[in-house]
Amino acid sequence: LLVIDNTVTNPMGNGAPLTVPLRGESTTNSQQTDVFQQLTDNKVDILWVVDDSGSMSEEQNLLGNNFSNFISFADSIGVDYQVAVTPTEVNDAVSGHIWGCNGNPTIITNSTPNKDQAFNCAARVTNPPGNSRPNPGGSDEQEAGLQAARIALDVPVVNNENAGFLRSDARLAVIIVSDEEDQSDGSVNLYIDFFRNLKGFANPQLVSLSAIAGDVPGGCATAAAGQRYQTAAQALGGQFESICAASWTQLLSNIGLDVFALR
């Protein structure tokens, strides 16, 4: 029996102690084996939010040209992935819309022909090469990566322009690339809570946010410090990498290993 003295928490109470019956079973086994079943169906949706301001052409080129370093690990282990790109623009009609250029699909998968080329084109959101449709971005007025990601993953856009991207049975990885501090409306916690809620607060392993942004706290010659992005990445279990790096080979490999590893 477990006897609880209820006068400890209620000194004025005069009731009798609370008695809780307990029951157990003995065993002669001296060892216990715990079995953990690893998920075998590795499905991930990856949303790249790329700063579309005029100062980002070099970084967009580095991102596009090094996409293979990001995706190679996923291809080597057979991940079922979907990759999409949207600009940081939040004030125009393209806000939050995923897109593809030169006839490429808006959602890139492991079966997409020439997927490296498709992503390379889509990542150049400021001035897409040979694009026949209006540019998805190209504005310097508000570089709001967190807000753009939320618009892309929230109703009505997620069910209309971005229909088919966010799968209920897949993990979600948001990756933001920007050379400016996040200029989204509201606090960082507002966005952290939104992303967590997409898969449920009890499933933090199903959502991550990573960022390639300016060094914290001082930034660098070509980028302002991305303090808000770093805060969001730390809270959501992602990677924070420096946009100031001269080479993006290892940088994108690091993010790829984190995004595609089984949870």
Side-chain angles (χ1 to χ4, degrees), residues 33-155:
T33 301
D34 293 329
V35 178
F36 300 89
Q37 187 66 45
Q38 175 66 67
L39 294 173
T40 56
D41 189 13
N42 194 359
K43 303 175 73 172
V44 190
D45 299 328
I46 307 105
L47 177 66
W48 286 88
V49 185
V50 183
D51 189 339
D52 55 297
S53 60
S55 62
M56 280 288 296
S57 59
E58 181 179 355
E59 289 80 5
Q60 291 169 13
N61 291 340
L62 286 168
L63 175 61
N65 291 336
N66 287 279
F67 179 70
S68 60
N69 295 298
F70 168 77
I71 210 70
S72 59
F73 176 60
D75 288 331
S76 70
I77 60 175
V79 177
D80 177 359
Y81 58 79
Q82 295 193 147
V83 178
V85 177
T86 192
T88 55
E89 173 60 54
V90 293
N91 294 310
D92 291 342
V94 298
S95 177
H97 295 188
I98 60 176
W99 84 294
C101 67
N102 291 344
N104 291 302
T106 58
I107 300 175
I108 300 169
T109 71
N110 48 1
S111 60
T112 298
N114 303 316
K115 56 179 173 287
D116 288 5
Q117 179 180 341
F119 181 84
N120 195 340
C121 186
R124 302 169 196 262
V125 289
T126 304
N127 293 298
N131 185 35
S132 58
R133 53 175 282 187
N135 288 4
S139 171
D140 292 319
E141 60 182 348
Q142 186 178 2
E143 295 157 59
L146 295 174
Q147 189 172 347
R150 175 171 182 167
I151 294 171
L153 299 169
D154 201 1
V155 293

